[in-house]
Amino acid sequence: MADIRITLQELKILSVLVAGREMYGYEIKKELEDNILLGGLYNVLKQLERKELVKSRWGTEEVTEGARRRYYEITGEGSRVLREAQEFFMVKWGVQTVSYEE
């Protein structure tokens, strides 16, 4: 498999999505507890989709207020990349748990 370049911000988002459930953008932002703007978050999610680490779909619920929701989910490849990044941190620096806080 080819190596995939991944940013710290992308790793943070993958770590939120690894819970195995679909989440929409604002949910992801709340879980990140980060200062990322929603526009920046959606740009990173698009990058993750292009790398096939995340997949998305439009929600089917009725929208009475605001925009229609787009739900994101980590792919098998995304889980693999996240796992390999965590293993790298453990081996390289002896880190037992990886925290993506800045």
Side-chain angles (χ1 to χ4, degrees):
M1 292 189 176
D3 287 336
I4 294 177
R5 289 182 173 237
I6 190 159
T7 67
L8 183 59
Q9 194 68 52
E10 290 171 333
L11 284 175
K12 287 179 180 181
I13 292 169
L14 289 177
S15 70
V16 167
L17 291 172
V18 81
R21 66 182 180 92
E22 292 181 321
M23 299 175 79
Y24 59 93
Y26 188 69
E27 276 183 309
I28 296 169
K29 181 180 174 8
K30 287 191 311 188
E31 286 288 320
L32 282 174
E33 298 176 358
D34 201 340
N35 290 331
I36 190 170
L37 299 174
L38 273 176
L41 173 64
Y42 288 118
N43 285 335
V44 175
L45 287 166
K46 284 180 192 175
Q47 291 169 4
L48 288 168
E49 274 194 285
R50 280 193 290 269
K51 295 177 182 180
E52 298 181 356
L53 304 178
V54 165
K55 62 184 177 179
S56 70
R57 67 169 181 84
W58 285 108
T60 56
E61 66 275 355
E62 281 293 317
V63 177
T64 56
E65 248 180 63
R68 198 165 129 203
R69 291 181 177 164
R70 188 168 191 90
Y71 290 88
Y72 298 87
E73 181 179 10
I74 194 168
T75 63
E77 181 69 2
S79 294
R80 183 192 68 77
V81 166
L82 178 62
R83 187 174 52 255
E84 285 182 4
Q86 290 171 330
E87 289 170 2
F88 170 79
F89 285 116
M90 286 183 215
V91 170
K92 183 81 172 174
W93 293 295
V95 176
Q96 295 302 312
T97 49
V98 179
S99 173
Y100 301 104
E101 294 178 25
E102 293 177 6

